[in-house]
Amino acid sequence: MKVSKGNIVLIVILVFLVIMGIKNLKNEKSLNQSILKEVTLVADGKVNPDNDGKLVLVSGKISFEGNIGFLELEQPIESFKVVRTVQDFVSYKSDDGKTHYEWKERKEEDRANVSDSSSSYLFSTTQTLPVKVGDFNLDDKGMQLVNASESYVTKEIAGLEYNGLEYTNKGHDDPEPGDVSLSYTYFDCSKYDSLSILAKQTGTTFSPYTLGKEEVYRVYNGKVDTMEKLTQELDEQVQRGKRGKIAFIVLILVVAGVLFYNSKKQASEGKKESSESKAE
């Protein structure tokens, strides 16, 4: 059976992805072993000057003042991090003249191009408050890594209604050009009263810790205050990465299979047409 150049390219890409996946997996496991050898546990969230510059795992109670409010919300959200995401359903024409539709995130600078409506002043943004983890101040890097994944649900907002996933326009099930998608996610302090930071202690805050060519800075929800819990978190991260790589490789195989099938089908149809033309 003759193998086409396209199939050869796909096979080479697949082999490359498998090799790189195995290599990355080994690197992650090696990095985790180094982390476990070097880390210093700080289970009470106390600042110890002797740990300055060291890789530490600090687990401490969350404390902050105030809450986060938005003009469109009647009540503020009791959290130190809230993410508001705004998207517009837009249409556009491709080079072949066909019309396509997609959700496009609306940033602050995009508001000038939005038609006047009750939600035209909204845009995607992340609001935060200074927060302490035990006696430590969480820095900007740590704040970015905080997982604000709890969905905020209330009644109608800015003329949009909640559909179980987001706030959007009323009156129709499928989106139409001009429709808006609005959602809020936040860190749920009622679910987690503590954070755990794996990073370098820098005074009373944190910064990335360098191990070989890698930088280590992780934020975990809740208490990760023992070597056993840290080992579990590191192992789970490796497994998540492994599952993601396997899923990607499976996708490549499926695409390769479809392309191979289509090429075989086209070749067969071409032979059939050629035979019929000769018969005529």
Side-chain angles (χ1 to χ4, degrees), residues 215-270:
E215 285 191 343
V216 178
Y217 198 132
R218 315 274 172 79
V219 176
Y220 303 111
N221 291 350
K223 288 185 178 181
V224 181
D225 52 1
T226 65
M227 292 297 288
E228 290 77 13
K229 290 181 180 179
L230 177 58
T231 301
Q232 182 179 356
E233 289 288 347
L234 295 175
D235 288 344
E236 286 182 358
Q237 183 174 359
V238 170
Q239 291 303 316
R240 286 194 297 271
K242 185 178 179 181
R243 288 192 293 269
K245 291 180 177 68
I246 291 174
F248 185 69
I249 290 172
V250 169
L251 177 62
I252 292 293
L253 284 172
V254 171
V255 172
V258 171
L259 292 175
F260 180 73
Y261 173 78
N262 288 337
S263 64
K264 289 273 291 180
K265 185 178 179 182
Q266 289 174 2
S268 177
E269 290 175 350

Side-chain angles (χ1 to χ4, degrees), residues 86-92 100-104 106 113-120 158-160 167-170 172 174-182:
V86 184
Q87 298 182 92
D88 294 297
F89 196 67
V90 299
S91 62
Y92 66 94
H100 301 271
Y101 302 89
E102 67 176 5
W103 285 105
K104 181 180 179 182
R106 184 197 300 174
N113 300 322
V114 178
S115 58
D116 188 27
S117 69
S118 60
S119 61
S120 60
L160 307 175
Y167 295 90
T168 189
N169 298 75
K170 306 176 186 179
H172 49 266
D174 297 325
E176 300 175 357
D179 281 359
V180 179
S181 167
L182 173 64

Side-chain angles (χ1 to χ4, degrees), residues 196-211:
S196 299
I197 314 297
L198 177 66
K200 180 170 74 174
Q201 179 175 316
T202 307
T204 60
T205 186
F206 307 98
S207 62
Y209 185 85
T210 302
L211 267 175

Side-chain angles (χ1 to χ4, degrees), residues 7 15 31 35 83 109 133 206-207 220 237 253 262:
N7 290 331
V15 172
L31 175 61
I35 288 173
V83 180
E109 59 269 23
V133 179
F206 307 98
S207 62
Y220 303 111
Q237 183 174 359
L253 284 172
N262 288 337

Side-chain angles (χ1 to χ4, degrees), residues 64-70 77 79-84 125-131 138-146 148 185-187:
F64 62 96
E65 295 183 0
N67 46 44
I68 295 177
F70 293 94
I77 301 175
S79 179
F80 62 87
K81 181 177 181 179
V82 181
V83 180
R84 180 178 69 191
T125 184
T126 299
Q127 299 291 340
T128 61
L129 295 171
V131 64
L138 191 61
D139 64 315
D140 291 340
K141 173 72 172 179
M143 185 67 77
Q144 290 174 7
L145 295 174
V146 168
T185 56
Y186 67 101
F187 181 86

Side-chain angles (χ1 to χ4, degrees), residues 6-26:
N7 290 331
I8 293 174
V9 171
L10 283 172
I11 292 171
V12 171
I13 292 174
L14 183 61
V15 172
F16 174 77
L17 289 172
V18 171
I19 293 173
M20 290 303 298
I22 294 172
K23 183 179 179 180
N24 290 339
L25 189 62
K26 288 182 178 179

